[in-house]
Amino acid sequence: MEATKSIFIQGEWLESESEETLTVVNPATGDQAGIVGFGDGRDADKAIDAAHAAFASWSQLTARERSKYLYNLYELVRNHRDELAELISLEMGKPLREAKGEVLGAADNFMWYAEEAKRVYGDTVPSSVSNKRIMVLRQPVGVVAAITPWNFPVNMAARKLAPALAAGCTVVWKPAEGTPLSAIRLFQLFEQAGFPKGVVNMVVGKPESIGQAFIDNPKVRKIAFTGSTRVGKLLMEGAAKQVKRVSMELGGHAPFIVFDDANLDAAVEGLFESKFRNCGQMCISANRLYVHEAVVESFTEKLVERLKKAKVGDGRKKDTEIGPLVNERGLNKVLDHIRDAMSQGARVAHGGSRLTDGDYGNGFFIEPTVLVEANEEMKIVYEETFGPVIPVIAFKDEASVVTMANNSNYGLAAYAYSENVSRCFRMAEQLEYGIVGINDGSPTQTQAPFGGMKESGIGREGGVYGMDGFLETKFVSITV
Ligand code: NAP
């Protein structure tokens, strides 16, 4: 099989400088899904040069002109949703229904920022000196280097590239090596949307080498990253040398709290969304379940009943609700968390094992798992699991559960279920997380701010908040 070109610079599809290739594997079957070019820092530097050269003219276009390209892209992504969704499912295992949802979410971002491009307002501020005027301009930061993970390969790109382009920045994107096929298809659509040469560039390739080029090359003015806290810290350290702007969407460890006054059926459905969607491979996935001791047994029974009905399988099959894990490393981490919890006294209420019978044997499948009698010593209660396993901890009162929920270096998402409106407000205010779902297991929308506190990140994506990181604020003082 000939390698598909995966490097797009100055409007051209190129071979990598290294001439290396990458084989993409379908995690549901173990079969080869494609072979693509695999670049490095040399390709990244060429892409940065192209983005830098294009910046002057792109940033000078009117917002309405930039907006047209984003609209074109919105239409194209919507019209190609099935094809993009199939590629996502093929290369990382996501069930098709969810993959289509992701692609539509990405399209929505392109549309939203096509609109928002026109609303980058400045200010005039009353002066304290009679012959001076204060004008505040908002201008694009310059060349943006974007790095994204495999778990939402299309939408993570959209959430960065759409606001960056709307603001007037030019972009170099490094997608994850797990998901280059959907990235290539998305960039073919960028090409079709007619963006001027050099405005959008993509390099699939070696992460360390490309990351270093983004850090070292002074033409890059901002690094926009979604991924693990470990890599985020490396990039922040590197970016500090030139005081580059950064925005960081990093890991999470979400507490999911069910009070005794909750609607338990709604809480089970919310938890299913939060924990088992994308096979638990989401930064906002519930990672710890706290249930009030009065309802812990009945809630666990309802949850197990729900999981018994969930069909695990190849994401491309119609009835699949839970797909495979993305790769063997991901699978081993999940199995390690289960083993560690069991060795410290947790009991399996459902699942607990890798699936190996028949077709499952070739992929990275695991049973959706519930571990009861968990405690705070277990790895699963403080390390990000990224898989379909939930530990259950019973709690006695509101104050103690808030303390346990906040006892984490992470601060991305938290969830609370209760029918008591005062308690809901207390949870919204007291949980130290950037996103709080109150009776909501899926708290994401294009226009809402998405991002974390503590080691879960810096900055926000989404809505008007998502533009801020791509704009500088300039003060112009005028003597009249
Ligand atoms: P990762 O290992 O940090 O990878 C993310 C991206 O960084 C990939 O493109 C990866 O390339 C690249 N990368 C790896 N090492 C690098 C380096 N030294 N320099 C520059 N780039 C480097 O994260 P992951 O395990 O794939 O993704 C899952 C993580 O992302 C989880 O922690 C999850 O919580 C987080 N996440 C956060 C959000 C959010 O919005 N907060 C959203 C989704 C995911 P390769 O693929 O080539 O290794």
Side-chain angles (χ1 to χ4, degrees), residues 171-357:
V171 177
V172 179
W173 176 36
K174 190 207 96 61
E177 62 194 83
T179 48
L181 303 179
S182 54
I184 293 168
R185 192 68 193 103
L186 179 65
F187 248 60
Q188 288 167 349
L189 299 180
F190 267 99
E191 191 182 10
Q192 219 176 316
F195 282 86
K197 288 185 184 355
V199 169
V200 283
N201 307 274
M202 175 176 78
V203 180
V204 172
K206 294 181 186 157
E208 289 84 5
S209 169
I210 295 171
Q212 203 57 48
F214 288 170
I215 286 168
D216 291 340
N217 194 319
K219 290 176 183 160
V220 171
R221 299 290 282 274
K222 152 128 195 181
I223 299 179
F225 176 72
T226 297
S228 61
T229 297
R230 180 187 71 81
V231 174
K233 286 180 182 177
L234 288 175
L235 292 169
M236 281 175 78
E237 273 176 38
K241 290 182 196 133
Q242 294 171 13
V243 197
K244 288 183 205 272
R245 276 78 187 115
V246 293
S247 52
M248 295 279 148
E249 297 286 347
L250 308 177
H253 200 286
F256 192 108
I257 306 171
V258 181
F259 287 98
D260 51 350
D261 53 17
N263 174 336
L264 296 190
D265 293 323
V268 165
E269 277 315 307
L271 180 67
F272 189 83
E273 268 286 296
S274 163
K275 176 74 256 185
F276 299 97
R277 191 154 68 92
N278 209 19
C279 199
Q281 302 169 114
M282 298 190 296
C283 50
I284 59 167
S285 287
N287 216 135
R288 297 167 269 157
L289 173 61
Y290 297 106
V291 188
H292 190 274
E293 58 185 11
V295 292
V296 69
E297 262 181 44
S298 51
F299 183 80
T300 307
E301 271 168 31
K302 281 175 186 282
L303 177 60
V304 168
E305 282 314 305
R306 175 67 183 88
L307 293 180
K308 280 184 188 159
K309 287 189 222 143
K311 174 87 180 87
V312 179
D314 186 329
R316 290 168 306 161
K317 291 192 179 149
K318 252 201 172 143
D319 55 347
T320 295
E321 270 192 288
I322 301 177
L325 287 154
V326 68
N327 56 32
E328 195 159 12
R329 192 158 55 95
L331 177 79
N332 287 338
K333 183 173 185 192
V334 175
L335 292 172
D336 174 57
H337 276 194
I338 296 174
R339 270 193 302 270
D340 172 76
M342 290 177 68
S343 73
Q344 298 194 63
R347 210 167 37 76
V348 171
H350 185 70
S353 306
R354 181 176 184 174
L355 289 162
T356 48
D357 287 353

Side-chain angles (χ1 to χ4, degrees), residues 43-70:
D43 305 292
D45 276 322
K46 281 206 291 190
I48 294 165
D49 281 344
H52 188 252
F55 177 70
S57 52
W58 179 251
S59 58
Q60 288 303 311
L61 291 184
T62 65
R64 276 176 187 272
E65 285 167 319
R66 284 200 298 271
S67 172
K68 276 188 218 152
Y69 296 101
L70 286 164

Side-chain angles (χ1 to χ4, degrees), residues 102-123:
E102 177 187 340
V103 175
L104 290 177
D108 201 45
N109 270 294
F110 290 122
M111 181 179 67
W112 210 91
Y113 285 104
E115 294 293 348
E116 195 59 16
K118 302 171 207 163
R119 290 189 264 276
V120 179
Y121 304 130
D123 279 313

